[in-house]
């Protein structure tokens, strides 16, 4: 026998074939059970889901001071809206009360105010007279400047607007000799003059019954061109009678004052004629 040939003698006890089959059957059953556990009812692989246990405490969405700021802003907005609504209601209430009070006051005022005095018409015919014209201007301002020059020399005058022109009238007379005398006096003071006839159309004015007698008297003097012949006492009486009536202001009142206080240069006729023309409108 060769030295290299060895004889191995196994001392292991040969296992029972029946026992091996039982062990093999258990392994297969265990493998089959593990495989079934990894599949769902329909034979498809299932996914494992991890369910977190709910946290019973409050979740924090940010730092605590942010919550305080947000709460302050919301509170301020609510308060502002409430105050604005209250102020609006108060304003509406005050406005309504004021309107009601004002309406009641106006109603009381209307009730207390006396009814306007009855007016009567005073008719006058067409009136004309020879006048002295010291200038005609396209603007009232320029006419006022020239009138101021006459006033500085104690010369009365009237600015009369007609046909978009402003006429500076410095006197009037009953005849041509009177107006030429007035014009000569003005020319001596280097005031240019022009004589012509000035007229107003016939018409009617509405005045109170108390004023009608004064207006009728003035119309008579306009027709007769007799203002210079009226005594000062009568002029003052007419002025007083007019001032004692209602609505005694205006051009007519100014003409009465000028007639009572100033010398006669034919300008009084122009002032009364202008006042009647204005009242007629």
């Amino acid at each position: 026998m060769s030295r290299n040939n060895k004889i191995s003698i196994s001392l292991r006890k040969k296992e029972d074939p029946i026992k091996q089959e039982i062990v093999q059957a258990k392994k297969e059953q265990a493998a089959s059970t593990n495989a079934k556990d990894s599949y769902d009812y329909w034979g498809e692989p299932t996914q494992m889901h991890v369910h977190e246990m709910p946290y019973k405490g409050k979740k924090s969405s940010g730092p605590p001071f942010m919550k305080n700021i947000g709460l302050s802003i919301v509170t301020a907005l609510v308060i502002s809206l409430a105050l604005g609504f209250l102020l609006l209601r108060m304003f509406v209430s005050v406005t309504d009360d004021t309107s009601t009070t004002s309406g009641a006051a106006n109603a009381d005022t209307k009730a207390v105010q006396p009814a306007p005095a009855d007016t009567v018409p005073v008719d006058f015919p067409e009136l004309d007279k020879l006048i002295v014209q010291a200038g005609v201007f396209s603007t009232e301002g320029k006419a006022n400047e020239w009138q101021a020059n006459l006033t500085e020399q104690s010369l009365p005058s009237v600015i009369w607007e007609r046909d978009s022109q402003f006429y500076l009238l410095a006197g009037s007379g009953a005849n041509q000799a009177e107006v030429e005398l007035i014009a000569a006096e003005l020319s001596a003071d280097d005031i240019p003059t022009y004589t012509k006839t000035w007229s107003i159309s016939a018409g009617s004015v509405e005045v109170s019954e108390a004023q009608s007698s004064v207006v009728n008297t003035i119309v008579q003097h306009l027709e007769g061109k007799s203002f210079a012949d009226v005594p000062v006492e009568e002029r003052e009486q007419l002025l007083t009678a007019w001032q004692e009536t209602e609505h005694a202001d205006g051009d007519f009142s100014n003409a009465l004052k000028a007639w009572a206080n100033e010398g006669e240069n034919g300008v009084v006729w122009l002032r009364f004629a202008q006042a009647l023309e204005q009242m007629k409108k």
Side-chain angles (χ1 to χ4, degrees), residues 10-278:
S10 177
L11 298 178
R12 296 174 60 185
K13 186 179 179 180
K14 190 175 182 179
E15 296 181 358
D16 188 358
I18 297 173
K19 186 177 180 179
Q20 290 181 355
E21 289 180 2
I22 293 172
V23 171
Q24 184 65 29
K26 290 182 178 182
K27 290 181 178 181
E28 290 178 359
Q29 184 178 2
S32 175
T33 302
N34 293 335
K36 184 177 180 180
D37 292 340
S38 63
Y39 289 84
D40 59 16
Y41 180 77
W42 301 102
E44 297 293 334
T46 60
Q47 295 182 353
M48 296 180 66
H49 298 279
V50 179
H51 297 280
E52 296 182 358
M53 293 295 292
Y55 179 64
K56 295 183 179 179
K58 296 182 179 179
K59 282 191 176 182
S60 177
S61 59
F65 71 90
M66 292 297 293
K67 292 182 178 180
N68 295 334
I69 293 175
L71 181 60
S72 299
I73 292 173
V74 172
T75 303
L77 289 174
V78 172
I79 294 174
S80 299
L81 291 174
L83 289 176
F85 179 75
L86 291 175
L87 290 175
L88 180 61
R89 291 294 300 273
M90 291 175 62
F91 177 76
V92 172
S93 177
V94 170
T95 303
D96 292 341
D97 293 342
T98 304
S99 300
T100 304
T101 304
S102 177
N106 291 336
D108 293 340
T109 302
K110 292 180 180 179
V112 172
Q113 286 180 349
D118 294 335
T119 59
V120 295
V122 176
D123 300 328
F124 58 89
E126 182 179 358
L127 301 170
D128 61 73
K129 198 171 187 182
L130 291 171
I131 58 96
V132 179
Q133 178 180 302
V136 57
F137 309 93
S138 59
T139 63
E140 186 177 9
K142 198 67 177 177
N144 288 331
E145 291 180 9
W146 280 82
Q147 186 182 44
N149 294 332
L150 297 179
T151 303
E152 288 177 359
Q153 302 178 54
S154 300
L155 297 173
S157 60
V158 172
I159 296 176
W160 197 318
E161 181 183 1
R162 180 173 288 183
D163 300 328
S164 301
Q165 298 290 323
F166 297 88
Y167 294 86
L168 181 59
L169 309 180
S172 66
N175 51 54
Q176 188 65 32
E178 288 185 8
V179 296
E180 287 180 356
L181 180 61
I182 296 173
E185 292 175 353
L186 294 174
S187 297
D189 294 328
D190 297 327
I191 299 173
T193 59
Y194 177 76
T195 62
K196 65 180 183 180
T197 300
W198 193 265
S199 62
I200 63 172
S201 60
S204 178
V205 295
E206 293 286 336
V207 295
S208 67
E209 188 173 356
Q211 294 173 337
S212 61
S213 60
V214 178
V215 176
N216 276 316
T217 301
I218 296 302
V219 169
Q220 292 173 9
H221 289 308
L222 284 170
E223 291 183 86
K225 303 176 179 66
S226 56
F227 286 105
D229 301 330
V230 179
V232 176
E233 292 79 5
E234 185 178 341
R235 302 179 190 183
E236 293 177 349
Q237 290 174 1
L238 290 171
L239 175 61
T240 302
W242 180 266
Q243 290 177 335
E244 290 176 350
T245 63
E246 296 181 1
H247 310 294
D249 298 329
D251 292 337
F252 196 87
S253 178
N254 293 332
L256 282 170
K257 293 176 182 178
W259 187 34
N261 300 323
E262 295 182 4
E264 171 62 28
N265 193 29
V267 176
V268 171
W269 189 95
L270 292 168
R271 285 175 175 163
F272 279 118
Q274 185 182 39
L276 284 179
E277 187 173 76
Q278 294 295 329

